[in-house]
Amino acid sequence: MAKVCTGASMSLDGYISGPGETGFDKLFKWYENGDITVETTHPELTFHLTEVSATHWRRLIAETGALVVGRKLFDITQGWGGDHPMGVPVVVVTHSVPDGWPREGAPFHFVTEGGTEGIERAVALARELAGDKNVVVNAGTIAQQCLDARLLDEVGIDLVPVLLGGGTPFFTDLKGAPYELEGPVAIAEGKDVTHLRYRVRYA
Amino acid sequence: MAKVCTGASMSLDGYISGPGETGFDKLFKWYENGDITVETTHPELTFHLTEVSATHWRRLIAETGALVVGRKLFDITQGWGGDHPMGVPVVVVTHSVPDGWPREGAPFHFVTEGGTEGIERAVALARELAGDKNVVVNAGTIAQQCLDARLLDEVGIDLVPVLLGGGTPFFTDLKGAPYELEGPVAIAEGKDVTHLRYRVRYA
């Protein structure tokens, strides 16, 4: 069966953004420190990756069939202008459908149930949309809800050699912790990043 | 010149102990999941490591000439009975010299200055005691003070595939953050642990 995965660029002290939404220049440095040009569905969003990171990225793209994201990420990115850079359908978990949505031709779906029921519906819908490909859930809050609902199969960490000293942790408020993982089942050493993948092992 | 290093077994979410001092069974699993017996200066403290982790451990022992620890660690371990398992002299950073110390024949030294001056004195003394070997500083609070005083050269992380969901972070209260590191300059994949080493790069 297709897997439910999460992933993020994370500092050595566990943050996916620094204090006051800083640190992205450091966390995302590996998207721009190689000479392989990788395009997304957004012409203005092009990465320059090392060979190792490009392989990592292409695998991610090839295996991902749909996304589940939280309302915060949707708002920050303004719904990616109606077209996610990964070119896959997106399920948004939200208390209410944002104004002007859904839009024709934009593969965005909205799940407005709260709690465990909401996250289960969102993942089920994303699975349907993904076919035999994986569902990727982002960011931390959604990943945490999936973990606590025992829906998450894999955790990817792009571990970046920086100490941010504060900010938003990748994992927080884990009600069912501790969670033991298996692996890394894959490890790839890029430049200014170590790509790690772990499998979740529910007790 | 000899280096000043810190290191710890750390969960994927950045903790060196779980909520209420739990999680050690998971964080230290790699000390007991191999078939290579490694003895310490304490007969009752013997590890059973995999080949990879044994190599990692032996290198650490061979390169370490002295330790700097905080009073908390000293108290928890009751001064390791007067003899640290690594068999090297120990400098304890403390507000006051504990009752019954120093003891004859026990290579423990106490530095009672506070703040940056105290940590600088402790590291200088440890350097002297270590000769041409490295100084290892533990745990997090001491490492953080060394980092903020620009004394720390290397960070070792034994990254353990568990999410503890809370507890004591390895790195906390970093006044000079963000800190960029270089590496990993070494990476070794053990069983239930990834041994990583980074070099600190001060701006």
Side-chain angles (χ1 to χ4, degrees), chain A residues 10 12-15 26 29 147 155 157 159-166 171-174 177-184 187 189 192-194 196 198 201, chain B residues 10 12-15 26 29 147 155 157 159-166 171-174 177-184 187 189 192-194 196 198 201:
Chain A
M10 187 181 89
L12 286 182
D13 47 352
Y15 298 101
K26 292 170 179 68
K29 194 186 258 185
L147 199 51
V155 174
I157 296 178
L159 192 64
V160 175
V162 64
L163 295 168
L164 292 175
F171 297 101
T172 188
D173 290 328
L174 292 172
Y179 289 106
E180 287 196 88
L181 288 78
E182 195 184 319
I187 182 166
E189 184 50 31
D192 297 317
V193 66
T194 305
L196 298 160
Y198 296 90
R201 212 162 44 184
Chain B
M10 188 182 89
L12 286 182
D13 47 353
Y15 297 102
K26 294 170 179 68
K29 194 187 257 184
L147 200 50
V155 174
I157 296 178
L159 192 65
V160 175
V162 64
L163 296 167
L164 292 175
F171 297 100
T172 187
D173 289 327
L174 291 173
Y179 288 106
E180 287 196 88
L181 287 77
E182 195 185 318
I187 183 165
E189 185 48 33
D192 297 317
V193 66
T194 305
L196 298 160
Y198 297 90
R201 212 164 41 184

Side-chain angles (χ1 to χ4, degrees), chain B residues 15-96:
Chain B
Y15 297 102
I16 55 172
S17 75
E21 307 286 320
T22 59
F24 297 118
D25 54 325
K26 294 170 179 68
L27 286 172
F28 299 150
K29 194 187 257 184
W30 66 272
Y31 280 100
E32 288 301 332
N33 69 4
D35 51 15
I36 297 177
T37 301
V38 173
E39 296 186 348
T40 72
T41 60
H42 286 218
E44 77 285 5
L45 187 63
T46 300
F47 306 133
H48 299 91
L49 304 177
T50 62
E51 184 64 48
V52 168
S53 291
T55 301
H56 167 77
W57 176 258
R58 286 182 189 129
R59 182 199 139 273
L60 182 70
I61 294 293
E63 291 185 1
T64 302
L67 298 172
V68 176
V69 305
R71 176 64 185 268
K72 190 178 161 197
L73 189 54
F74 178 86
D75 282 349
I76 289 173
T77 61
Q78 301 184 298
W80 293 276
D83 174 24
H84 192 278
M86 289 177 85
V88 295
V90 179
V91 178
V92 184
V93 179
T94 174
H95 290 293
S96 59

Side-chain angles (χ1 to χ4, degrees), chain A residues 15-201:
Chain A
Y15 298 101
I16 56 173
S17 76
E21 307 285 321
T22 59
F24 297 118
D25 55 325
K26 292 170 179 68
L27 287 171
F28 299 150
K29 194 186 258 185
W30 65 271
Y31 279 100
E32 287 301 333
N33 67 6
D35 51 14
I36 297 177
T37 301
V38 173
E39 296 185 349
T40 71
T41 60
H42 287 219
E44 77 286 4
L45 188 63
T46 300
F47 307 133
H48 299 91
L49 305 176
T50 62
E51 184 65 48
V52 167
S53 292
T55 302
H56 166 77
W57 177 259
R58 287 183 187 127
R59 182 198 141 273
L60 182 70
I61 294 293
E63 292 185 1
T64 302
L67 298 172
V68 177
V69 306
R71 176 64 185 267
K72 190 180 161 194
L73 188 55
F74 177 86
D75 282 348
I76 289 174
T77 61
Q78 300 183 298
W80 293 277
D83 174 23
H84 192 278
M86 290 177 84
V88 295
V90 178
V91 178
V92 184
V93 180
T94 174
H95 290 293
S96 61
V97 176
D99 284 349
W101 290 89
R103 290 182 196 164
E104 205 172 328
F108 282 68
H109 306 260
F110 300 87
V111 168
T112 52
E113 280 95 340
T116 306
E117 199 189 333
I119 199 74
E120 281 171 353
R121 268 202 53 144
V123 169
L125 175 55
R127 273 190 190 283
E128 230 178 276
L129 296 163
D132 57 358
K133 293 193 176 185
N134 293 341
V135 169
V136 169
V137 301
N138 273 331
T141 307
I142 297 290
Q144 166 255 310
Q145 290 175 358
C146 285
L147 199 51
D148 281 333
R150 303 173 73 92
L151 292 168
L152 195 70
D153 299 308
E154 229 173 74
V155 174
I157 296 178
D158 301 314
L159 192 64
V160 175
V162 64
L163 295 168
L164 292 175
T168 305
F170 189 3
F171 297 101
T172 188
D173 290 328
L174 292 172
K175 289 167 190 62
Y179 289 106
E180 287 196 88
L181 288 78
E182 195 184 319
V185 294
I187 182 166
E189 184 50 31
K191 192 175 167 227
D192 297 317
V193 66
T194 305
H195 303 291
L196 298 160
R197 264 193 306 140
Y198 296 90
R199 214 166 278 143
V200 185
R201 212 162 44 184

